[in-house]
């Protein structure tokens, strides 16, 4: 292997980071920016450890940067995939990571490397013994543990639905969650959850076992699983591998287990999730909240969860987007067919879209400004990883506070649109029924506002004309203005919703389309 890499990695790389530059091709060296000045070598190494062996480290504290070298390119790719949708944090500050231009780190003759080497050696000694280490909060003590990193979780007294996202948000407080599988067994809602590190599993078990997610119900019972790792085949609302955003959704898995659906009955458990001044829900229907997880393992106050939709999405304090972060960056769009209108309709399922901008010189990317941070979070968690026009959407929070409109006379070929006063917003009315009917994308669509003159064949033909395959259709028995239609895949349903929401059916009736939680 040629060693043309410069001995140091400062000068060259750091100058280019003034703006956001385009990502390099994969490398086993990861460049980390904006690290807080109190960060230790062990902190930086901890970002990489879950994904494989860390073989070298270079800290450039004066520049608030670091370089981390993984043993293999595969490990580095897994790490980058994991951190693309969720920003990594060191000492509770966000840090920014990307592949370095360097293929390896040569640090032998650099000053101040002894601490980095000592930290690497400590981690690797312990890792190779089948054990992992963690420094206790505020101390240098090393805790050793040979336990499993997989927890088995049973939720008792399930009076409210608990979703995969809820578990992810609660358990992420204790470390990197790699995979979750949820299922119903013996009429109990259960989950298997794999951490990056057995120590995280240990802290979470100590802190959360016996706690209630909501006040007086949904009690967590946690034990170590005999499994050492989980194999997730599909990313959907029952199972997820957070290191593999490319997995299929495995359509045809019913999204809500029939017994669960029956147990919850009709929506309406939570009255209006968006009530309350800041656009966050009051803690559900109970005067005092249930648990609130603080960042230090083992010191739990009462998990204060508020919900931002009936689906049971949680806004745990400290987990929500920073207020004002209502702009999303969408990447990997199909530049040949994407239009602002498509993003307006699709993101409008999860909140009111105020503005959309497709980037003029890079049409794979767009900015979508939602009405508030809760809606942005909701749209991001439901749509990230879904397919649109044959491409897997990548969605992150943008650093922009708002989407700028082009100046008068500087039209940008219709790539920026202002929808602030659109009549198509679903969530303008406080307490609107639509708040209770927010569901993940699914192959089955809910149709409403159908005029009496329209038959099932008319609707089947209409959907088939957009290029999708209609698998099943049925009108609601009690109300013929509504129907369910099942299409060939989630991707087809997303495309059909974009094409046909607000479609004019005549008689002054415009079709309303949303994702359904039911199957036909």
């Amino acid at each position: 292997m040629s060693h043309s890499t410069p001995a140091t990695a400062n000068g060259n790389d750091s100058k280019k980071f003034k703006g956001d530059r385009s990502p390099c091709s994969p490398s086993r060296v990861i460049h980390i920016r904006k690290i807080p000045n109190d960060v230790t070598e062990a902190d930086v190494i901890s970002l990489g450890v879950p994904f494989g062996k860390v073989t070298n480290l270079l800290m450039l504290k004066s520049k608030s940067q670091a370089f981390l070298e993984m043993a293999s390119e595969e490990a580095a790719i897994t790490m980058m995939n994991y951190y693309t949708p969720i920003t990594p944090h060191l000492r509770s500050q966000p840090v920014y990571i990307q592949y370095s231009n360097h293929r390896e780190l040569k640090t032998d003759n650099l000053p101040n490397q002894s601490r980095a080497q000592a930290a690497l050696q400590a981690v690797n000694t312990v890792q190779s013994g089948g054990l992992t280490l963690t420094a206790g909060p505020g101390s240098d003590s090393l805790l050793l543990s040979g336990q499993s990193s997989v927890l088995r979780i049973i939720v008792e007294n399930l009076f409210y639905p608990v979703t995969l996202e809820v578990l992810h948000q609660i358990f992420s407080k204790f470390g990197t969650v790699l995979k979750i599988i949820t299922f119903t067994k013996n009429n109990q809602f259960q989950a298997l959850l794999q951490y990056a590190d057995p120590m995280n599993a240990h802290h979470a078990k100590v802190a959360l076992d016996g706690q209630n997610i909501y006040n007086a119900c949904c009690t967590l019972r946690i034990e170590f699983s005999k499994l050492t790792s989980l194999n997730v085949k599909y990313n959907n609302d029952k199972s997820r591998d957070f290191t593999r955003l490319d997995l299929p959704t495995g359509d045809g898995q019913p999204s809500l287990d029939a017994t669960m659906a029956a147990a919850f009955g009709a929506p309406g458990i939570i009255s209006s999730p968006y009530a309350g001044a800041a656009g966050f829900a009051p803690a559900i229907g109970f005067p005092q909240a249930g648990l609130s997880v603080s960042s230090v393992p083992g010191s739990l106050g009462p998990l204060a969860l508020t919900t931002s939709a009936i689906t049971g999405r949680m806004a745990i304090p400290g987990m929500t987007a920073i207020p004002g972060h209502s702009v999303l960056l969408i990447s990997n769009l199909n530049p040949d067919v994407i239009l602002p209108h498509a993003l307006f309709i699709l993101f409008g399922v999860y909140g009111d879209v105020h503005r959309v901008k497709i980037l003029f010189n890079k049409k794979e990317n767009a900015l979508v400004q939602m009405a508030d941070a809760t809606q942005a979070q909701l749209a991001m968690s439901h749509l990230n990883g879904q397919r649109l026009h044959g491409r897997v959407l990548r969605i992150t929070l943008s650093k922009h506070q708002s989407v700028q409109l082009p100046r008068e006379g500087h039209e940008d070929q219709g790539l920026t649109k202002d929808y602030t006063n659109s009549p198509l917003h679903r969530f303008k009315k406080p307490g609107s029924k639509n708040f209770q009917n927010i569901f993940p994308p699914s192959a089955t669509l809910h149709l409403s506002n159908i005029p009496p003159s329209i038959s099932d064949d008319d609707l089947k033909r209409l959907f088939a004309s957009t290029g999708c395959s209609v698998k099943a259709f049925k009108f609601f028995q009690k109300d013929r203005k509504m129907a369910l239609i099942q299409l060939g895949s989630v991707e087809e349903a997303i495309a059909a919703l974009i094409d046909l929401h607000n479609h004019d059916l005549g008689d002054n009736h415009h079709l309303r389309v949303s994702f359904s939680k039911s199957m036909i």
Side-chain angles (χ1 to χ4, degrees):
M1 172 161 174
S2 70
H3 293 298
S4 57
T5 316
T8 63
N10 42 18
N12 320 345
D13 267 34
S14 53
K15 296 211 176 44
K16 302 187 182 115
F17 293 112
K18 295 295 178 270
D20 282 17
R21 45 169 218 152
S22 58
C24 307
S25 60
S27 156
R28 65 193 182 103
V29 181
I30 303 281
H31 181 212
I32 307 166
R33 294 178 289 140
K34 301 228 174 123
I35 59 175
N37 52 11
D38 58 346
V39 156
T40 65
E41 283 78 3
D43 289 336
V44 177
I45 294 170
S46 72
L47 289 177
V49 164
F51 308 100
K53 185 172 176 177
V54 177
T55 47
N56 210 343
L57 168 71
L58 175 61
M59 300 275 277
L60 303 173
K61 282 222 168 154
S62 59
K63 295 189 159 56
S64 302
Q65 298 182 16
F67 290 83
L68 195 66
E69 180 189 271
M70 302 299 288
S72 68
E73 203 170 280
E74 289 71 34
I77 292 169
T78 305
M79 177 175 170
M80 286 295 287
N81 285 348
Y82 181 82
Y83 288 126
T84 302
I86 51 170
T87 308
H89 284 68
L90 286 174
R91 303 266 158 151
S92 39
Q93 297 293 315
V95 293
Y96 300 92
I97 70 171
Q98 60 204 64
Y99 296 116
S100 167
N101 296 331
H102 300 290
R103 300 288 137 198
E104 60 171 353
L105 286 181
K106 305 273 306 270
T107 57
D108 307 343
N109 39 18
L110 291 181
N112 309 328
Q113 268 303 96
S114 54
R115 291 183 53 174
Q117 296 310 317
L120 284 165
Q121 202 176 346
V123 173
N124 291 335
T125 314
V126 181
Q127 259 193 328
S128 56
L131 299 165
T132 55
L133 84 179
T134 172
S139 75
D140 293 333
S141 66
L142 293 182
L143 302 171
L144 297 182
S145 126
Q147 287 155 324
S148 164
S149 56
V150 179
L151 294 176
R152 192 173 77 137
I153 301 156
I154 297 175
V155 184
E156 295 176 347
N157 308 325
L158 194 68
F159 299 149
Y160 291 103
V162 170
T163 62
L164 185 145
E165 275 83 9
V166 175
L167 294 174
H168 184 247
Q169 282 197 309
I170 294 168
F171 283 82
S172 290
K173 282 284 183 182
F174 298 91
T176 303
V177 175
L178 299 183
K179 303 170 189 178
I180 303 179
I181 298 172
T182 63
F183 53 95
T184 302
K185 186 175 169 187
N186 309 333
N187 280 338
Q188 279 182 316
F189 178 70
Q190 302 195 18
L192 290 166
L193 181 145
Q194 182 180 344
Y195 275 110
D197 179 327
M199 217 50 237
N200 305 144
H202 171 77
H203 282 321
K205 180 178 183 298
V206 169
L208 296 174
D209 188 26
Q211 294 283 353
N212 294 337
I213 297 180
Y214 301 114
N215 204 26
C217 74
C218 301
T219 310
L220 292 166
R221 296 277 172 241
I222 303 172
E223 54 199 61
F224 289 107
S225 167
K226 294 183 188 65
L227 298 169
T228 51
S229 107
L230 300 178
N231 180 15
V232 174
K233 295 190 178 63
Y234 301 116
N235 279 344
N236 54 31
D237 53 358
K238 309 291 271 188
S239 63
R240 203 155 307 161
D241 182 336
F242 294 93
T243 65
R244 292 275 315 276
L245 295 177
D246 55 326
L247 289 177
T249 55
D251 302 327
Q253 268 52 27
S255 59
L256 241 190
D257 191 283
T259 53
M260 298 259 292
F264 301 135
I269 297 166
I270 303 161
S271 55
S272 161
Y274 287 89
F280 294 113
I284 337 180
F286 293 124
Q288 70 277 38
L291 302 168
S292 111
V293 185
S294 74
S295 54
V296 183
S299 60
L300 268 175
L303 243 338
L305 301 185
T306 55
T307 61
S308 53
I310 182 87
T311 48
R313 282 199 182 278
M314 295 308 153
I316 302 179
M319 296 290 305
T320 47
I322 309 138
H325 272 241
S326 54
V327 180
L328 297 170
L329 171 64
I330 293 87
S331 51
N332 203 32
L333 292 163
N334 185 329
D336 304 326
V337 287
I338 193 61
L339 292 169
H341 177 77
L343 295 173
F344 167 65
I345 296 293
L346 178 58
F347 282 74
V349 172
Y350 299 106
D352 293 338
V353 175
H354 285 191
R355 291 179 179 173
V356 176
K357 181 192 276 297
I358 293 171
L359 303 190
F360 182 73
N361 50 359
K362 198 152 187 257
K363 295 193 173 65
E364 286 87 19
N365 296 338
L367 294 170
V368 173
Q369 182 180 339
M370 306 295 289
D372 64 39
T374 313
Q375 295 182 8
Q377 200 79 37
L378 200 57
M380 178 166 75
S381 52
H382 277 307
L383 295 173
N384 185 37
Q386 297 289 349
R387 295 182 80 88
L388 175 64
H389 305 137
R391 301 267 196 110
V392 176
L393 292 179
R394 295 276 169 268
I395 305 173
T396 54
L397 287 172
S398 165
K399 59 182 186 298
H400 295 286
Q401 296 293 318
S402 66
V403 169
Q404 299 297 312
L405 295 175
R407 298 198 305 283
E408 287 294 318
H410 289 73
E411 270 313 298
D412 60 350
Q413 302 173 1
L415 294 177
T416 306
K417 291 270 192 255
D418 186 358
Y419 296 103
T420 313
N421 300 314
S422 166
L424 293 187
H425 288 166
R426 298 178 188 236
F427 304 101
K428 269 217 287 268
K429 287 209 286 286
S432 152
K433 262 224 177 74
N434 293 334
F435 287 118
Q436 299 166 16
N437 293 310
I438 295 178
F439 299 109
S442 57
T444 305
L445 295 172
H446 178 278
L447 314 179
S448 58
N449 207 26
I450 303 167
S453 57
I454 295 283
S455 72
D456 51 353
D457 284 339
D458 293 331
L459 287 164
K460 285 189 212 166
R461 268 199 301 275
L462 175 64
F463 277 81
S465 73
T466 69
C468 54
S469 53
V470 177
K471 301 288 187 206
F473 179 92
K474 79 166 197 228
F475 279 114
F476 277 57
Q477 279 170 322
K478 297 195 194 68
D479 185 355
R480 213 189 147 285
K481 290 202 282 293
M482 297 198 289
L484 293 177
I485 188 163
Q486 189 179 335
L487 304 178
S489 67
V490 176
E491 186 176 2
E492 282 188 10
I494 288 174
L497 181 141
I498 291 170
D499 284 347
L500 297 175
H501 179 63
N502 202 43
H503 180 83
D504 189 348
L505 293 173
D507 302 344
N508 207 8
H509 281 67
H510 286 79
L511 182 65
R512 296 185 58 83
V513 183
S514 49
F515 297 114
S516 169
K517 69 171 190 303
S518 314
M519 308 282 283
I520 299 180

